[in-house]
Amino acid sequence: MSILIINIKELLQVRESNVLKVSGSEMKVLPTIKNAYLLIEDDTIVDYGSMTDNIEFRADTIIDAKGKMVLPAWCDSHTHIVYAGHREQEFVDRINGLSYEEIANRGGGILNSAATLNDTSETELYNQSIKRVKEVMKLGTGALEIKSGYGLTMEAELKMLRVIKRIKQKFPIKIKATFLGAHALPYIYKDNKEDYLNLVINEILPRVAKEKLADYIDVFCEKGYFSLDDTERIIKAGKAYGLRAKIHVNQFNAFGGVALGVKYDALSVDHLEELNDEDITALKGSNTIPVALPSCSYFLSIPYTPARKLIDAGLPLALATDYNPGSTPSGNMNFVISTACIKMKMTPEEAINAATINGAYAMEISNMYGSITRGKKANLIITKPISSYNFLPYAFGDNHIDSVLINGEII
Ligand code: NIG
Ligand code: FE
């Protein structure tokens, strides 16, 4: 099966050589071809170029994209899209003055979601989760990282990870799974964190590894959750099972989580709403990519990750949604990109790079996803007719997507 897209107003994120990530001032550059064509064979991008090139326009299907842009599908490298129930009451409680911390301290927050998930069957959890997966695919997401962490018992963490595995098998989008056993301390361990850490490290993790249910390991490294020492133990344990770290750090407090992640060659350090100069220094020269989650800042009214500081220091940056029931009940990467431009002063080029090639890097899939490159997977967004790509972040809140192709098929 071949598909030829012709008369593309502008083909975005065209990378001749297989770049794996872009950093610092490189992020300002978004290579494009105006008046372009793109040829797909089966699930692969095989050719592209200018309509003025002398090619034979023949294929099984021809799509005329007059006035429309084509770009790689979004690569969302940080989500908790598998969860049970919702927490809109906490949202109202915050409007009425309670903080995220106060809600968590009275048994709400992550523990609230964990209680619901423990009472939800695997089938029901799968059904609730795939509704969201289908929804984000329509919004242009073509690759997704999904974390556990709302189970917090052996049984429920495995349930979450099996649901993620089933989504991996049933859906055409690329999925990476992350084990986040250390997301919060269950109430019954509140005076005995050591026992919970032992459960995560010595019992759940070996099962997760044995059943090959995760690609990465995560920890919520935060005051009131898991300390630097706890985080180090979990990262080391994960590493022993071949799981590289992707960690939650600096959401509310900066106390060395970034340097710790870098020390263990974490793939990514995510959140970074609080960021100091030592964090920037630690990231320089490392393979660890910082990941910003602007929808979380928006929803919780907390600071935005200082993207300018990171990028102007020559570092790469990825953007992701953090889709979860507590801090970010939205998986819309289009909103993430707009918010990054509006609130974090990223240029549209930087935001698109951060949400495509750098998002793919933050899942170790940028050799096959995240740019228009010959040989990469045909995961694409075709926009509605728009005046320029700047219009995508500019006209925020509207849906500018005409159609989405995943593995070369229109969904
Ligand atoms: O990434 N910060 C930790 N975890 C999630 C939120 C968890 C929740 O409130 O359910 C996050 O924001
Ligand atoms: Fe998160």
Side-chain angles (χ1 to χ4, degrees), residues 111 114 118 151-155 157 181-204 224-226 230:
L111 296 184
N118 273 266
L152 311 180
T153 61
M154 167 77 89
E155 196 192 344
E157 282 295 307
H183 196 193
L185 193 62
Y187 189 73
I188 54 162
Y189 293 94
K190 81 174 177 14
D191 299 317
N192 203 347
K193 192 198 256 183
E194 188 57 29
D195 279 3
Y196 186 64
L197 286 171
N198 286 332
L199 174 71
V200 169
I201 293 171
N202 302 325
E203 292 179 47
I204 311 181
Y225 292 82
F226 295 94
D230 304 336

mmCIF file of all heavy atoms in Angstrom, residues 111 114 118 151-155 157 181-204 224-226 230:
data_model
loop_
_atom_site.group_PDB
_atom_site.id
_atom_site.type_symbol
_atom_site.label_atom_id
_atom_site.label_comp_id
_atom_site.label_asym_id
_atom_site.label_seq_id
_atom_site.Cartn_x
_atom_site.Cartn_y
_atom_site.Cartn_z
ATOM 1 N N LEU A 111 -3.150 8.864 46.497
ATOM 2 C CA LEU A 111 -3.749 7.764 47.280
ATOM 3 C C LEU A 111 -5.234 7.610 46.979
ATOM 4 O O LEU A 111 -5.778 6.499 47.021
ATOM 5 C CB LEU A 111 -3.529 7.987 48.780
ATOM 6 C CG LEU A 111 -2.069 7.983 49.255
ATOM 7 C CD1 LEU A 111 -2.004 8.116 50.771
ATOM 8 C CD2 LEU A 111 -1.323 6.727 48.797
ATOM 9 N N ALA A 114 -5.306 5.715 43.846
ATOM 10 C CA ALA A 114 -4.879 4.327 44.093
ATOM 11 C C ALA A 114 -6.027 3.518 44.698
ATOM 12 O O ALA A 114 -6.244 2.359 44.330
ATOM 13 C CB ALA A 114 -3.659 4.302 45.002
ATOM 14 N N ASN A 118 -7.540 0.239 42.884
ATOM 15 C CA ASN A 118 -7.535 -1.078 43.524
ATOM 16 C C ASN A 118 -8.910 -1.729 43.467
ATOM 17 O O ASN A 118 -9.021 -2.949 43.442
ATOM 18 C CB ASN A 118 -7.018 -0.972 44.966
ATOM 19 C CG ASN A 118 -5.493 -1.075 45.035
ATOM 20 O OD1 ASN A 118 -4.945 -2.148 45.243
ATOM 21 N ND2 ASN A 118 -4.793 0.033 44.829
ATOM 22 N N GLY A 151 -1.249 2.069 41.606
ATOM 23 C CA GLY A 151 -1.583 0.779 42.189
ATOM 24 C C GLY A 151 -1.089 0.750 43.618
ATOM 25 O O GLY A 151 -1.862 0.661 44.570
ATOM 26 N N LEU A 152 0.252 0.857 43.738
ATOM 27 C CA LEU A 152 0.933 0.919 45.035
ATOM 28 C C LEU A 152 0.782 -0.354 45.871
ATOM 29 O O LEU A 152 1.056 -0.347 47.064
ATOM 30 C CB LEU A 152 0.504 2.160 45.845
ATOM 31 C CG LEU A 152 0.523 3.517 45.101
ATOM 32 C CD1 LEU A 152 0.086 4.641 46.032
ATOM 33 C CD2 LEU A 152 1.896 3.828 44.512
ATOM 34 N N THR A 153 0.309 -1.440 45.240
ATOM 35 C CA THR A 153 0.385 -2.783 45.832
ATOM 36 C C THR A 153 0.921 -3.660 44.700
ATOM 37 O O THR A 153 0.846 -3.268 43.530
ATOM 38 C CB THR A 153 -0.998 -3.338 46.244
ATOM 39 O OG1 THR A 153 -1.812 -3.422 45.052
ATOM 40 C CG2 THR A 153 -1.699 -2.472 47.279
ATOM 41 N N MET A 154 1.425 -4.835 45.067
ATOM 42 C CA MET A 154 1.918 -5.767 44.027
ATOM 43 C C MET A 154 0.840 -5.985 42.967
ATOM 44 O O MET A 154 1.053 -5.816 41.773
ATOM 45 C CB MET A 154 2.307 -7.088 44.703
ATOM 46 C CG MET A 154 2.537 -8.235 43.750
ATOM 47 S SD MET A 154 4.123 -8.140 42.923
ATOM 48 C CE MET A 154 5.130 -9.024 44.104
ATOM 49 N N GLU A 155 -0.338 -6.373 43.460
ATOM 50 C CA GLU A 155 -1.414 -6.753 42.554
ATOM 51 C C GLU A 155 -1.826 -5.596 41.634
ATOM 52 O O GLU A 155 -1.967 -5.766 40.419
ATOM 53 C CB GLU A 155 -2.604 -7.183 43.424
ATOM 54 C CG GLU A 155 -3.657 -7.955 42.723
ATOM 55 C CD GLU A 155 -4.909 -8.068 43.610
ATOM 56 O OE1 GLU A 155 -4.805 -7.817 44.829
ATOM 57 O OE2 GLU A 155 -5.958 -8.368 43.071
ATOM 58 N N GLU A 157 -0.197 -2.709 40.931
ATOM 59 C CA GLU A 157 0.851 -2.220 40.019
ATOM 60 C C GLU A 157 0.946 -3.161 38.808
ATOM 61 O O GLU A 157 1.072 -2.708 37.676
ATOM 62 C CB GLU A 157 2.205 -2.126 40.737
ATOM 63 C CG GLU A 157 2.346 -0.909 41.640
ATOM 64 C CD GLU A 157 2.332 0.426 40.878
ATOM 65 O OE1 GLU A 157 3.116 0.588 39.940
ATOM 66 O OE2 GLU A 157 1.515 1.289 41.224
ATOM 67 N N GLY A 181 6.376 2.470 40.966
ATOM 68 C CA GLY A 181 5.908 1.964 42.271
ATOM 69 C C GLY A 181 6.082 3.014 43.361
ATOM 70 O O GLY A 181 5.258 3.129 44.274
ATOM 71 N N ALA A 182 7.152 3.799 43.268
ATOM 72 C CA ALA A 182 7.427 4.825 44.286
ATOM 73 C C ALA A 182 6.801 6.161 43.881
ATOM 74 O O ALA A 182 7.479 7.157 43.638
ATOM 75 C CB ALA A 182 8.926 4.970 44.490
ATOM 76 N N HIS A 183 5.480 6.156 43.797
ATOM 77 C CA HIS A 183 4.745 7.366 43.411
ATOM 78 C C HIS A 183 4.227 8.078 44.655
ATOM 79 O O HIS A 183 4.161 9.297 44.717
ATOM 80 C CB HIS A 183 3.589 6.979 42.472
ATOM 81 C CG HIS A 183 2.994 8.121 41.704
ATOM 82 N ND1 HIS A 183 1.808 8.011 41.034
ATOM 83 C CD2 HIS A 183 3.412 9.387 41.492
ATOM 84 C CE1 HIS A 183 1.525 9.164 40.454
ATOM 85 N NE2 HIS A 183 2.478 10.025 40.711
ATOM 86 N N ALA A 184 3.814 7.297 45.647
ATOM 87 C CA ALA A 184 3.368 7.856 46.940
ATOM 88 C C ALA A 184 3.458 6.733 47.959
ATOM 89 O O ALA A 184 3.503 5.555 47.583
ATOM 90 C CB ALA A 184 1.927 8.362 46.844
ATOM 91 N N LEU A 185 3.489 7.108 49.225
ATOM 92 C CA LEU A 185 3.572 6.108 50.283
ATOM 93 C C LEU A 185 2.154 5.716 50.700
ATOM 94 O O LEU A 185 1.395 6.561 51.187
ATOM 95 C CB LEU A 185 4.333 6.723 51.471
ATOM 96 C CG LEU A 185 4.800 5.760 52.549
ATOM 97 C CD1 LEU A 185 5.798 4.741 51.992
ATOM 98 C CD2 LEU A 185 5.453 6.561 53.678
ATOM 99 N N PRO A 186 1.775 4.431 50.494
ATOM 100 C CA PRO A 186 0.421 4.022 50.898
ATOM 101 C C PRO A 186 0.209 4.267 52.390
ATOM 102 O O PRO A 186 1.145 4.181 53.183
ATOM 103 C CB PRO A 186 0.398 2.521 50.583
ATOM 104 C CG PRO A 186 1.476 2.310 49.585
ATOM 105 C CD PRO A 186 2.533 3.328 49.887
ATOM 106 N N TYR A 187 -1.026 4.546 52.741
ATOM 107 C CA TYR A 187 -1.362 4.921 54.124
ATOM 108 C C TYR A 187 -0.866 3.893 55.141
ATOM 109 O O TYR A 187 -0.312 4.263 56.173
ATOM 110 C CB TYR A 187 -2.890 5.107 54.240
ATOM 111 C CG TYR A 187 -3.281 5.697 55.567
ATOM 112 C CD1 TYR A 187 -3.034 7.050 55.843
ATOM 113 C CD2 TYR A 187 -3.867 4.908 56.559
ATOM 114 C CE1 TYR A 187 -3.364 7.593 57.067
ATOM 115 C CE2 TYR A 187 -4.206 5.447 57.785
ATOM 116 C CZ TYR A 187 -3.950 6.794 58.038
ATOM 117 O OH TYR A 187 -4.264 7.326 59.247
ATOM 118 N N ILE A 188 -1.000 2.603 54.818
ATOM 119 C CA ILE A 188 -0.605 1.579 55.811
ATOM 120 C C ILE A 188 0.906 1.563 56.061
ATOM 121 O O ILE A 188 1.362 0.952 57.024
ATOM 122 C CB ILE A 188 -1.084 0.143 55.442
ATOM 123 C CG1 ILE A 188 -0.628 -0.225 54.031
ATOM 124 C CG2 ILE A 188 -2.591 -0.003 55.613
ATOM 125 C CD1 ILE A 188 -0.671 -1.739 53.782
ATOM 126 N N TYR A 189 1.673 2.218 55.215
ATOM 127 C CA TYR A 189 3.131 2.289 55.425
ATOM 128 C C TYR A 189 3.542 3.654 55.962
ATOM 129 O O TYR A 189 4.722 3.973 55.961
ATOM 130 C CB TYR A 189 3.865 2.033 54.107
ATOM 131 C CG TYR A 189 3.720 0.619 53.584
ATOM 132 C CD1 TYR A 189 2.728 0.303 52.658
ATOM 133 C CD2 TYR A 189 4.584 -0.398 54.004
ATOM 134 C CE1 TYR A 189 2.596 -0.987 52.168
ATOM 135 C CE2 TYR A 189 4.464 -1.684 53.515
ATOM 136 C CZ TYR A 189 3.467 -1.975 52.599
ATOM 137 O OH TYR A 189 3.343 -3.253 52.114
ATOM 138 N N LYS A 190 2.593 4.453 56.424
ATOM 139 C CA LYS A 190 2.939 5.847 56.692
ATOM 140 C C LYS A 190 4.004 6.015 57.770
ATOM 141 O O LYS A 190 4.754 6.988 57.739
ATOM 142 C CB LYS A 190 1.681 6.691 56.952
ATOM 143 C CG LYS A 190 1.087 6.635 58.329
ATOM 144 C CD LYS A 190 -0.034 7.673 58.360
ATOM 145 C CE LYS A 190 -0.826 7.742 59.634
ATOM 146 N NZ LYS A 190 -0.377 7.119 60.849
ATOM 147 N N ASP A 191 4.096 5.049 58.662
ATOM 148 C CA ASP A 191 5.169 5.127 59.667
ATOM 149 C C ASP A 191 6.272 4.123 59.358
ATOM 150 O O ASP A 191 7.109 3.827 60.214
ATOM 151 C CB ASP A 191 4.594 4.852 61.062
ATOM 152 C CG ASP A 191 3.534 5.892 61.416
ATOM 153 O OD1 ASP A 191 3.778 7.087 61.148
ATOM 154 O OD2 ASP A 191 2.455 5.503 61.920
ATOM 155 N N ASN A 192 6.252 3.584 58.168
ATOM 156 C CA ASN A 192 7.199 2.524 57.847
ATOM 157 C C ASN A 192 7.574 2.531 56.368
ATOM 158 O O ASN A 192 7.304 1.588 55.634
ATOM 159 C CB ASN A 192 6.553 1.179 58.231
ATOM 160 C CG ASN A 192 7.617 0.132 58.467
ATOM 161 O OD1 ASN A 192 8.781 0.344 58.109
ATOM 162 N ND2 ASN A 192 7.228 -0.984 59.044
ATOM 163 N N LYS A 193 8.209 3.627 55.990
ATOM 164 C CA LYS A 193 8.565 3.773 54.581
ATOM 165 C C LYS A 193 9.517 2.673 54.128
ATOM 166 O O LYS A 193 9.450 2.196 52.983
ATOM 167 C CB LYS A 193 9.216 5.149 54.371
ATOM 168 C CG LYS A 193 9.344 5.493 52.895
ATOM 169 C CD LYS A 193 10.339 6.580 52.668
ATOM 170 C CE LYS A 193 9.636 7.886 52.372
ATOM 171 N NZ LYS A 193 10.613 8.939 52.086
ATOM 172 N N GLU A 194 10.400 2.257 55.037
ATOM 173 C CA GLU A 194 11.382 1.228 54.708
ATOM 174 C C GLU A 194 10.701 -0.036 54.162
ATOM 175 O O GLU A 194 11.148 -0.615 53.168
ATOM 176 C CB GLU A 194 12.203 0.927 55.970
ATOM 177 C CG GLU A 194 13.392 0.005 55.760
ATOM 178 C CD GLU A 194 14.378 0.503 54.710
ATOM 179 O OE1 GLU A 194 14.511 1.731 54.511
ATOM 180 O OE2 GLU A 194 15.001 -0.357 54.061
ATOM 181 N N ASP A 195 9.627 -0.437 54.799
ATOM 182 C CA ASP A 195 8.927 -1.645 54.343
ATOM 183 C C ASP A 195 8.353 -1.451 52.941
ATOM 184 O O ASP A 195 8.350 -2.376 52.136
ATOM 185 C CB ASP A 195 7.780 -2.009 55.311
ATOM 186 C CG ASP A 195 8.293 -2.750 56.525
ATOM 187 O OD1 ASP A 195 9.538 -2.916 56.636
ATOM 188 O OD2 ASP A 195 7.471 -3.146 57.379
ATOM 189 N N TYR A 196 7.844 -0.243 52.682
ATOM 190 C CA TYR A 196 7.287 -0.022 51.336
ATOM 191 C C TYR A 196 8.400 -0.030 50.289
ATOM 192 O O TYR A 196 8.254 -0.638 49.219
ATOM 193 C CB TYR A 196 6.477 1.283 51.259
ATOM 194 C CG TYR A 196 5.801 1.385 49.900
ATOM 195 C CD1 TYR A 196 4.825 0.452 49.529
ATOM 196 C CD2 TYR A 196 6.172 2.344 48.967
ATOM 197 C CE1 TYR A 196 4.239 0.493 48.270
ATOM 198 C CE2 TYR A 196 5.576 2.394 47.705
ATOM 199 C CZ TYR A 196 4.616 1.461 47.366
ATOM 200 O OH TYR A 196 4.045 1.486 46.115
ATOM 201 N N LEU A 197 9.535 0.606 50.614
ATOM 202 C CA LEU A 197 10.662 0.599 49.668
ATOM 203 C C LEU A 197 11.117 -0.837 49.404
ATOM 204 O O LEU A 197 11.412 -1.200 48.262
ATOM 205 C CB LEU A 197 11.825 1.431 50.218
ATOM 206 C CG LEU A 197 11.614 2.951 50.173
ATOM 207 C CD1 LEU A 197 12.723 3.675 50.936
ATOM 208 C CD2 LEU A 197 11.576 3.453 48.727
ATOM 209 N N ASN A 198 11.153 -1.647 50.462
ATOM 210 C CA ASN A 198 11.542 -3.047 50.276
ATOM 211 C C ASN A 198 10.547 -3.797 49.403
ATOM 212 O O ASN A 198 10.936 -4.628 48.583
ATOM 213 C CB ASN A 198 11.697 -3.753 51.632
ATOM 214 C CG ASN A 198 12.977 -3.296 52.314
ATOM 215 O OD1 ASN A 198 13.947 -2.913 51.648
ATOM 216 N ND2 ASN A 198 12.985 -3.307 53.639
ATOM 217 N N LEU A 199 9.267 -3.486 49.590
ATOM 218 C CA LEU A 199 8.241 -4.125 48.750
ATOM 219 C C LEU A 199 8.470 -3.758 47.273
ATOM 220 O O LEU A 199 8.482 -4.625 46.392
ATOM 221 C CB LEU A 199 6.837 -3.672 49.195
ATOM 222 C CG LEU A 199 5.674 -4.137 48.319
ATOM 223 C CD1 LEU A 199 5.429 -5.636 48.483
ATOM 224 C CD2 LEU A 199 4.380 -3.373 48.657
ATOM 225 N N VAL A 200 8.688 -2.457 47.032
ATOM 226 C CA VAL A 200 8.884 -2.005 45.643
ATOM 227 C C VAL A 200 10.147 -2.642 45.056
ATOM 228 O O VAL A 200 10.130 -3.195 43.951
ATOM 229 C CB VAL A 200 8.963 -0.454 45.582
ATOM 230 C CG1 VAL A 200 9.427 0.027 44.214
ATOM 231 C CG2 VAL A 200 7.602 0.157 45.920
ATOM 232 N N ILE A 201 11.247 -2.564 45.811
ATOM 233 C CA ILE A 201 12.548 -2.977 45.272
ATOM 234 C C ILE A 201 12.704 -4.499 45.230
ATOM 235 O O ILE A 201 13.191 -5.043 44.236
ATOM 236 C CB ILE A 201 13.684 -2.332 46.109
ATOM 237 C CG1 ILE A 201 13.672 -0.811 45.886
ATOM 238 C CG2 ILE A 201 15.040 -2.931 45.756
ATOM 239 C CD1 ILE A 201 14.598 -0.034 46.803
ATOM 240 N N ASN A 202 12.295 -5.154 46.299
ATOM 241 C CA ASN A 202 12.608 -6.592 46.389
ATOM 242 C C ASN A 202 11.485 -7.509 45.940
ATOM 243 O O ASN A 202 11.715 -8.694 45.734
ATOM 244 C CB ASN A 202 13.002 -6.968 47.827
ATOM 245 C CG ASN A 202 14.200 -6.160 48.288
ATOM 246 O OD1 ASN A 202 15.087 -5.853 47.491
ATOM 247 N ND2 ASN A 202 14.219 -5.786 49.564
ATOM 248 N N GLU A 203 10.271 -6.956 45.835
ATOM 249 C CA GLU A 203 9.171 -7.848 45.434
ATOM 250 C C GLU A 203 8.500 -7.435 44.124
ATOM 251 O O GLU A 203 8.418 -8.226 43.201
ATOM 252 C CB GLU A 203 8.147 -7.946 46.575
ATOM 253 C CG GLU A 203 8.770 -8.685 47.766
ATOM 254 C CD GLU A 203 7.825 -8.807 48.943
ATOM 255 O OE1 GLU A 203 6.661 -9.189 48.728
ATOM 256 O OE2 GLU A 203 8.269 -8.506 50.076
ATOM 257 N N ILE A 204 8.048 -6.159 44.060
ATOM 258 C CA ILE A 204 7.299 -5.786 42.838
ATOM 259 C C ILE A 204 8.245 -5.677 41.637
ATOM 260 O O ILE A 204 7.977 -6.247 40.580
ATOM 261 C CB ILE A 204 6.490 -4.479 43.028
ATOM 262 C CG1 ILE A 204 5.658 -4.519 44.329
ATOM 263 C CG2 ILE A 204 5.574 -4.257 41.831
ATOM 264 C CD1 ILE A 204 4.817 -3.291 44.594
ATOM 265 N N GLY A 224 8.014 14.997 51.158
ATOM 266 C CA GLY A 224 6.754 14.359 51.533
ATOM 267 C C GLY A 224 6.475 13.104 50.722
ATOM 268 O O GLY A 224 5.478 12.425 50.968
ATOM 269 N N TYR A 225 7.312 12.799 49.731
ATOM 270 C CA TYR A 225 7.124 11.586 48.924
ATOM 271 C C TYR A 225 8.384 10.727 49.045
ATOM 272 O O TYR A 225 8.542 10.013 50.025
ATOM 273 C CB TYR A 225 6.778 11.954 47.471
ATOM 274 C CG TYR A 225 5.413 12.597 47.362
ATOM 275 C CD1 TYR A 225 5.233 13.963 47.625
ATOM 276 C CD2 TYR A 225 4.290 11.844 47.044
ATOM 277 C CE1 TYR A 225 3.977 14.548 47.567
ATOM 278 C CE2 TYR A 225 3.019 12.428 46.973
ATOM 279 C CZ TYR A 225 2.873 13.778 47.237
ATOM 280 O OH TYR A 225 1.636 14.351 47.168
ATOM 281 N N PHE A 226 9.334 10.862 48.128
ATOM 282 C CA PHE A 226 10.548 10.048 48.202
ATOM 283 C C PHE A 226 11.784 10.948 48.173
ATOM 284 O O PHE A 226 11.888 11.850 47.341
ATOM 285 C CB PHE A 226 10.549 8.999 47.083
ATOM 286 C CG PHE A 226 9.421 8.010 47.273
ATOM 287 C CD1 PHE A 226 8.196 8.209 46.642
ATOM 288 C CD2 PHE A 226 9.551 6.937 48.151
ATOM 289 C CE1 PHE A 226 7.131 7.344 46.864
ATOM 290 C CE2 PHE A 226 8.491 6.067 48.384
ATOM 291 C CZ PHE A 226 7.274 6.265 47.741
ATOM 292 N N ASP A 230 16.051 7.597 48.905
ATOM 293 C CA ASP A 230 15.056 6.635 48.393
ATOM 294 C C ASP A 230 15.163 6.540 46.870
ATOM 295 O O ASP A 230 15.137 5.452 46.295
ATOM 296 C CB ASP A 230 13.615 7.085 48.711
ATOM 297 C CG ASP A 230 13.367 7.335 50.192
ATOM 298 O OD1 ASP A 230 14.095 6.758 51.026
ATOM 299 O OD2 ASP A 230 12.448 8.128 50.503
#
